[in-house]
Amino acid sequence: MTGGAKRGVPNPWLFEEPEETRGLGFDEIRQQQQKIIQEQDAGLDALSSIISRQKQMGKEIGNELDEQNEIIDDLANLVENTDGKLRTETRRVNMVDRKSTSCVSHVCLLIAGVWFN
């Protein structure tokens, strides 16, 4: 069998026509294809609109995050300053407390010295 078709390989020119186009003429098939293309274009336009909106939302979220980060940085600086002031005041209170304790001891010794003399 030379020159014939190979067994098991379908002929690409022999295919079953889809039901949608069966019995339609060339112009009708072209109109049907144009309608399908228009529907696809409308779907792509809708998808493009959705993607544009999501892009805008993403930009707005990014801007909000930038503002929140600035607020957090400012707050962190304020907390650092307050922490430094608190440490300084704590040292001063401890120093006054030590001096107060020492002063009370001296006053007690003085009173005891006066009392027993």
Side-chain angles (χ1 to χ4, degrees):
M1 231 192 207
T2 59
K6 296 181 184 177
R7 291 188 175 252
V9 177
N11 184 340
W13 300 107
L14 298 176
F15 65 90
E16 190 174 320
E17 185 176 1
E19 260 185 60
E20 298 89 30
T21 59
R22 196 171 292 147
L24 298 178
F26 177 75
D27 287 334
E28 294 168 321
I29 292 174
R30 188 177 57 194
Q31 287 175 353
Q32 188 179 36
Q33 288 176 340
Q34 288 298 322
K35 181 182 174 190
I36 291 170
I37 289 171
Q38 288 172 350
E39 289 172 356
Q40 289 175 342
D41 284 346
L44 289 173
D45 288 343
L47 181 61
S48 175
S49 175
I50 291 168
I51 290 172
S52 293
R53 178 68 181 131
Q54 288 180 334
K55 178 182 177 182
Q56 182 61 34
M57 288 171 59
K59 286 181 179 180
E60 290 172 7
I61 289 170
N63 291 339
E64 182 67 25
L65 287 174
D66 289 343
E67 289 177 21
Q68 294 293 328
N69 282 335
E70 287 178 23
I71 291 170
I72 289 171
D73 289 343
D74 291 344
L75 184 60
N77 289 334
L78 289 171
V79 168
E80 261 183 57
N81 291 341
T82 303
D83 184 56
K85 290 176 183 178
L86 186 60
R87 289 177 191 271
T88 300
E89 292 306 315
T90 301
R91 280 193 299 269
R92 287 182 184 168
V93 166
N94 287 337
M95 186 179 354
V96 167
D97 185 46
R98 281 192 307 269
K99 287 181 180 180
S100 172
T101 303
S102 174
C103 182
V104 168
S105 297
H106 291 315
V107 168
C108 286
L109 286 174
L110 181 64
I111 291 174
V114 169
W115 186 270
F116 292 109
N117 275 338

